[in-house]
Amino acid sequence: MLLQLNKTPIILIGFMGTGKTTVGSYMRNQLKLSYMDLDQYIELKEHMTIPQIFDEQGETHFRDLEYKYLKDTLNKFDIISTGGGIIENQASLDLLKLQKNVIWLDCDIEIVFERIVNDPHRPNANNKSLNQLKNLYSSRISRYNEIAFMKVNSNQNVSDIYQEITTSLTSD
Ligand code: S3P
């Protein structure tokens, strides 16, 4: 498939555990495009894990790093998956609003909960009940919606998600 990106990256957004990294890697393999997971990029550049950054420098500092490296990755990669909380930072939100191909992956919060409950690598999911996670999810939905070009139900297999995204991008 020939996808004309015209230097506009495909950016995957959505809550934790909605499959952004899985879909991003799958798209990279299928489309032979460059791909980066923003969390992974931050860890590589900062030589720290995400939980270490949260613990030692705090979430606000992590959000600043997210913004800094988002700017970086936008100019370097064709496909980027972002962390679920990127929309918590106004500067990141504003920057994402300017991007064309922002894809929102979304699925039932109960499914997300099963996937991420007590994940030690996710400080904002660790030790959270289903209700607490639901509240966090609800507080973020309008911002995902505000910046997304399309919303995809990610409670389906990855090849179907891929088909849905590429069909929409090529029928522009
Ligand atoms: C976060 C989501 C994580 C990561 C960090 C904070 C959040 O990314 O950026 O742990 O606040 O939702 P994933 O969405 O890839 O889990």
Side-chain angles (χ1 to χ4, degrees):
M1 171 178 309
L2 191 60
L3 206 61
Q4 279 297 346
L5 290 178
N6 296 328
K7 299 200 172 186
T8 314
I10 296 170
I11 305 166
L12 301 170
I13 63 161
F15 201 64
M16 294 175 270
T18 51
K20 294 164 298 202
T21 312
T22 308
V23 173
S25 312
Y26 188 87
M27 292 186 78
R28 169 194 49 207
N29 294 339
Q30 295 294 317
L31 297 167
K32 311 280 180 260
L33 293 172
S34 63
Y35 163 69
M36 181 53 73
D37 175 70
L38 184 56
D39 279 342
Q40 197 191 339
Y41 193 76
I42 295 170
E43 290 187 329
L44 285 170
K45 292 287 180 188
E46 293 294 305
H47 307 286
M48 289 172 88
T49 65
I50 304 292
Q52 274 173 339
I53 299 173
F54 268 70
D55 277 359
E56 294 169 27
Q57 301 171 327
E59 180 164 349
T60 306
H61 182 71
F62 173 74
R63 298 296 169 209
D64 292 340
L65 291 175
E66 235 177 356
Y67 173 59
K68 172 180 170 188
Y69 293 120
L70 171 66
K71 283 189 288 185
D72 223 2
T73 52
L74 286 178
N75 298 317
K76 287 196 174 125
F77 301 97
D78 301 312
I79 305 167
I80 302 156
S81 55
T82 58
I86 196 156
I87 42 76
E88 298 282 355
N89 178 295
Q90 191 59 46
S92 297
L93 188 70
D94 290 343
L95 184 56
L96 286 170
K97 267 188 212 162
L98 301 173
Q99 306 305 310
K100 195 167 162 254
N101 300 323
V102 178
I103 318 281
W104 174 20
L105 298 185
D106 193 38
C107 69
D108 293 344
I109 189 68
E110 283 78 11
I111 295 172
V112 164
F113 182 69
E114 291 295 318
R115 288 184 187 156
I116 66 175
V117 60
N118 290 334
D119 180 347
H121 200 71
R122 287 184 162 109
N124 276 342
N126 210 358
N127 295 321
K128 279 213 165 60
S129 67
L130 174 59
N131 252 341
Q132 287 172 316
L133 215 60
K134 266 187 187 167
N135 288 340
L136 184 61
Y137 171 74
S138 304
S139 73
R140 290 176 173 178
I141 287 179
S142 63
R143 278 167 288 167
Y144 296 136
N145 191 39
E146 192 183 344
I147 58 176
F149 149 75
M150 72 181 288
K151 176 179 169 179
V152 179
N153 178 359
S154 60
N155 187 24
Q156 50 181 335
N157 69 53
V158 68
S159 61
D160 291 342
I161 298 171
Y162 169 77
Q163 283 302 333
E164 202 174 320
I165 294 174
T166 47
T167 303
S168 173
L169 291 177
T170 46
S171 65
D172 256 6

